[in-house]
Amino acid sequence: KHDLRRTAGERGTMTETAAGMKSLGSGRCFVIGEVALTHDGSLGLAHAFIDALAAAGADAVKFQTHIAAAESTPSEPFRVKFSRQDASRYEYWKRMEFTEEQWRGLAAHCAERQVLFVSSPFSFEAVDLLQRIGQPLWKIASGEVSNTALLDRVLDTGSPVLLSTGMSPLAETDVAVARVKARGVEVGVLQCTTAYPCPPERVGLNLIPVYRERYGCWVGLSDHSGTIYPGLAGVATGMDILELHVTLSREMFGPDVIASITTAELRQLVDGIRFIERMRANPLDKDTSARDTDPLRRLFTRSVVARRALARGTVLSADDLAIKKPGTGLPPDRLPELIGKRLSRAVAEDQLLVAEDIES
């Protein structure tokens, strides 16, 4: 079982107990690459996605498990008529189906590539199938959060649940989180806006700390912007989980491609996330940091120098002095106090003055 609990001041840890699961330490964002149905019913393409997302640094590869007869009716309309080969949404769901053996193969492939296999269920039958395969983490799609019967079926497995909030007001999310916690199951809440692609004005990063305070659980972002920017911004605030759609190319077919990033962009995003996490994990003490630059400081700062050759005993005036690099002599802020002082020895033009050059 993966521990998503929080102790005071620190995050819980998803322990590595399933094949492909990477441990999550404090401050490490878990990145879920969402394939959804962009495989377009091709088993080979689904496997290609696993290789590509694993190579790009994803922690998990997520699909959707649709069983047409269990979740839909032949009269279900398309949200957007995108398919030239499917006469109805039902026919599309049917074409997206894989057999249990094929799902097992996808899960095994994820294990080989050391990424977590996750698939969102959309029916009791899908939950049961995925449970037989073995799925240690569940993602409930935003349209299913209010489906208490489906949620209860998932909760029966005892594995952690991530709730998407795309279609839910706070009150509905409150009810769902309470339902999960009442069963003793760990929960994460993902900010999500159901728009494809999602414009920056509607991403809602401001809600992530609200969820953290309100629910005391893991929080994150399910991003549909089709860019890497919300993910980077969210990680900079310390969110725990990032889920986003990924495509092999923006020229691919499918309803989610327009809201996806490419695998090359995913690699850039993951590298940026890990960079940000290292920054956050290593706060600087400014004084210590400045001391570490002493060699460079001496090179780039300046000193008081003789503007021209000056004899011993010269009473210094402003015209006798200049400020030049490097910073290994008396610093520039000492110049005013040198005016009117007498040289204890002769100095050459451009010679950096030191304390021993000035009579006490």
Side-chain angles (χ1 to χ4, degrees):
K1 183 176 179 179
H2 301 291
D3 185 10
L4 292 180
R5 287 171 295 187
R6 253 176 216 287
T7 56
E10 71 181 85
R11 293 181 182 82
T13 299
M14 271 190 183
T15 314
E16 189 171 1
T17 59
M21 189 64 177
K22 297 178 180 179
S23 62
L24 290 178
S26 176
R28 187 183 189 280
C29 183
F30 191 71
V31 179
I32 303 172
E34 168 86 63
V35 179
L37 302 175
T38 309
H39 54 71
D40 198 42
S42 166
L43 183 63
L45 193 54
H47 280 282
F49 265 104
I50 292 172
D51 286 327
L53 269 64
D59 294 304
V61 177
K62 195 181 88 63
F63 297 93
Q64 295 178 2
T65 300
H66 293 275
I67 302 174
E71 72 172 83
S72 183
T73 63
S75 62
E76 182 188 0
F78 276 104
R79 176 173 56 85
V80 177
K81 184 68 169 77
F82 61 87
S83 176
R84 294 178 181 270
Q85 68 184 103
D86 304 301
S88 67
R89 188 77 160 168
Y90 183 92
E91 290 185 15
Y92 176 67
W93 296 138
K94 191 72 178 174
R95 191 164 61 83
M96 296 302 105
E97 292 180 7
F98 293 134
T99 67
E100 183 166 333
E101 181 180 3
Q102 290 169 333
W103 281 118
R104 286 187 185 277
L106 291 169
H109 190 178
C110 285
E112 292 168 7
R113 293 307 306 264
Q114 297 187 331
V115 292
L116 184 68
F117 168 81
V118 181
S119 190
S120 290
F122 291 84
S123 63
F124 290 167
E125 289 83 348
V127 174
D128 295 344
L129 184 155
L130 292 168
Q131 187 178 13
R132 289 193 297 271
I133 290 172
Q135 181 173 257
L137 177 67
W138 297 88
K139 162 66 189 303
I140 304 300
S142 59
E144 303 296 332
V145 169
S146 62
N147 186 348
T148 56
L150 180 69
L151 182 56
D152 285 344
R153 191 69 159 250
V154 168
L155 295 177
D156 287 341
T157 71
S159 294
V161 172
L162 303 181
L163 300 173
S164 184
T165 61
M167 299 183 187
S168 300
L170 278 174
E172 186 172 86
T173 305
D174 289 347
V175 171
V177 171
R179 195 177 194 91
V180 177
K181 288 187 173 183
R183 294 288 297 275
V185 173
E186 308 296 348
V187 63
V189 176
L190 303 184
Q191 163 55 17
C192 175
T193 300
T194 305
Y196 304 87
C198 181
E201 297 85 359
R202 298 183 62 194
V203 170
L205 285 183
N206 62 295
L207 289 168
I208 294 175
V210 172
Y211 297 148
R212 190 187 299 284
E213 176 68 22
R214 193 177 186 96
Y215 305 123
C217 68
W218 280 41
V219 294
L221 177 68
S222 180
D223 180 27
H224 299 145
S225 71
T227 73
I228 67 173
Y229 309 127
L232 293 173
V235 168
T237 68
M239 72 181 184
D240 307 300
I241 302 165
L242 172 64
E243 176 194 61
L244 70 173
H245 286 269
V246 184
T247 182
L248 301 181
S249 164
R250 286 199 171 86
E251 296 174 340
M252 289 187 70
F253 171 80
D256 294 322
V257 172
I258 193 173
S260 300
I261 66 170
T262 65
T263 50
E265 290 169 328
L266 177 62
R267 178 72 271 174
Q268 183 182 25
L269 172 62
V270 172
D271 289 345
I273 287 171
R274 303 308 170 216
F275 191 102
I276 291 168
E277 288 170 347
R278 287 175 63 188
M279 289 193 296
R280 286 176 52 84
N282 293 277
L284 288 183
D285 177 272
K286 189 56 180 174
D287 290 338
T288 301
S289 175
R291 284 194 296 272
D292 291 341
T293 66
D294 279 350
L296 287 176
R297 180 179 176 82
R298 288 192 292 271
L299 180 63
F300 285 104
T301 57
R302 301 180 184 231
S303 302
V304 179
V305 304
R307 190 183 296 273
R308 52 186 166 271
L310 299 172
R312 177 183 176 182
T314 298
V315 177
L316 295 173
S317 68
D319 290 339
D320 295 325
L321 305 174
I323 297 173
K324 297 183 180 182
K325 296 177 182 177
T328 52
L330 292 174
D333 61 1
R334 295 286 302 277
L335 189 149
E337 67 185 69
L338 297 178
I339 305 302
K341 293 293 180 72
R342 190 182 302 274
L343 287 178
S344 62
R345 56 191 176 189
V347 295
E349 181 180 356
D350 277 340
Q351 181 174 329
L352 278 65
L353 298 186
V354 294
E356 290 76 13
D357 295 325
I358 309 301
E359 290 185 356
S360 57

